[in-house]
Amino acid sequence: MNDQSQIDAPAPRVSIVVPVKNEAGNIAPLVAEIERACAGLAPFEVIYVDDGSSDGTGMELARLAAERPWLRRLRRERSAGQSAAVRAGARVARAPIIVTIDGDGQNDPAFIPKLVAALEAGGPGVGLAAGQRLGRKDTGFKRMQSRIANKVRRAVLGDGTRDTGCGLKAVRRDIFLSLPYFDAIHRFMPALVKREGYDVVLVDVVDRPRLTGQSNYGLFDRLWVGILDLCGVWWLIRRCRRAAPAEELK
């Protein structure tokens, strides 16, 4: 989409942000699924963030974008990670609601309308609708690691969320951009959104195998990194002090 077409297009209701790295084989099937799933949310936009891919991801996105004015493309020459890719997409998004979804096809776009509806139904007091995966399709070892990590996180942060690793989330853009940024922030969003004084609603979604290829982003199973992140988020929550809004005097 060029600059003029962005100006002329109506403001989207929802911006779907998709971080990808070397997912050429998954681009077209997922774009088609998102298009079908989000027909009732029109106008919408889809922002793919190519995080330093070295395969045909960029060419595939260019081909599809030529026929879809709602498909936007961002690219980094060097990978900066999934959190940075999501934030880059959120910064240029034009809708007040951002939906995140993984680019490997494991997240089913059919649940996007349900997430958006849950967020909107909650009113301005709800900042995040977080997907909670059922029927995980990862290996048994990864599921075990995830269960341990989630149990520890819930005990430390008390965020009331059984699964923060699900890529399917709907969040208000202004709230997302106000959160303290760090690598792996997407795995702590429920706790951080609650820190800002907003409620979080949970939506069950069905997991499925990735469409093609193999994982290109690290999981939350790197023990020491995960512990350091968890300690950092715990500190941020304890140091938060919400003040009454200041009013301008006349």
Side-chain angles (χ1 to χ4, degrees):
M1 183 184 290
N2 59 40
D3 292 340
Q4 187 58 47
S5 61
Q6 288 187 39
I7 294 172
D8 295 339
R13 176 182 171 188
V14 177
S15 297
I16 297 104
V17 177
V18 191
V20 287
K21 180 182 178 183
N22 295 333
E23 297 285 3
N26 292 321
I27 302 295
L30 188 59
V31 166
E33 286 188 307
I34 292 174
E35 184 173 16
R36 289 193 299 270
C38 295
L41 298 176
F44 63 87
E45 65 179 3
V46 179
I47 304 170
Y48 262 81
V49 185
D50 181 357
D51 188 34
S53 295
S54 57
D55 64 352
T57 292
M59 292 185 291
E60 188 69 356
L61 283 171
R63 181 182 70 81
L64 295 169
E67 303 170 350
R68 295 166 175 82
W70 43 262
L71 179 57
R72 302 172 62 187
R73 298 173 293 141
L74 276 66
R75 172 167 172 78
R76 294 184 189 274
E77 290 300 320
R78 294 184 180 180
S79 176
Q82 187 172 358
S83 287
V86 171
R87 186 170 178 83
R91 288 173 67 92
V92 303
R94 297 188 299 129
I97 293 176
I98 293 170
V99 173
T100 64
I101 182 171
D102 290 344
D104 58 10
Q106 280 195 262
N107 298 154
D108 190 340
F111 291 97
I112 291 177
K114 189 175 181 180
L115 285 165
V116 174
L119 183 66
E120 292 181 333
V126 173
L128 169 70
Q132 305 284 279
R133 289 170 291 185
L134 301 173
R136 293 284 300 276
K137 301 304 180 184
D138 291 323
T139 64
F141 181 60
K142 287 182 179 179
R143 290 198 301 271
M144 179 190 70
Q145 290 176 314
S146 182
R147 281 196 299 269
I148 294 171
N150 280 321
K151 185 175 181 179
V152 172
R153 189 206 69 254
R154 287 197 304 271
V156 173
L157 302 182
D159 58 14
T161 308
R162 74 168 187 268
D163 175 22
T164 61
C166 179
L168 273 169
K169 296 180 177 73
V171 61
R172 300 188 190 279
R173 178 178 180 270
D174 58 340
I175 295 174
F176 177 78
L177 292 177
S178 73
L179 300 179
Y181 173 75
F182 56 92
D183 194 24
I185 183 178
H186 59 286
R187 300 189 181 277
F188 295 96
M189 280 179 59
L192 293 172
V193 168
K194 287 184 176 182
R195 173 184 182 268
E196 298 299 313
Y198 295 94
D199 292 331
V200 174
V201 294
L202 306 177
V203 178
D204 285 339
V205 301
V206 178
D207 200 31
R208 61 185 186 179
R210 70 167 21 251
L211 298 176
T212 65
Q214 60 186 7
S215 177
N216 295 290
Y217 283 122
L219 298 173
F220 189 50
D221 54 15
R222 292 171 297 174
L223 180 61
W224 297 113
V225 174
I227 289 175
L228 289 173
D229 288 343
L230 185 60
C231 291
V233 174
W234 176 84
W235 181 87
L236 284 170
I237 291 172
R238 285 183 59 87
R239 298 299 297 170
C240 179
R241 180 179 298 175
R242 288 191 293 274
E247 297 182 3
E248 183 177 359
L249 302 178
K250 296 183 180 179

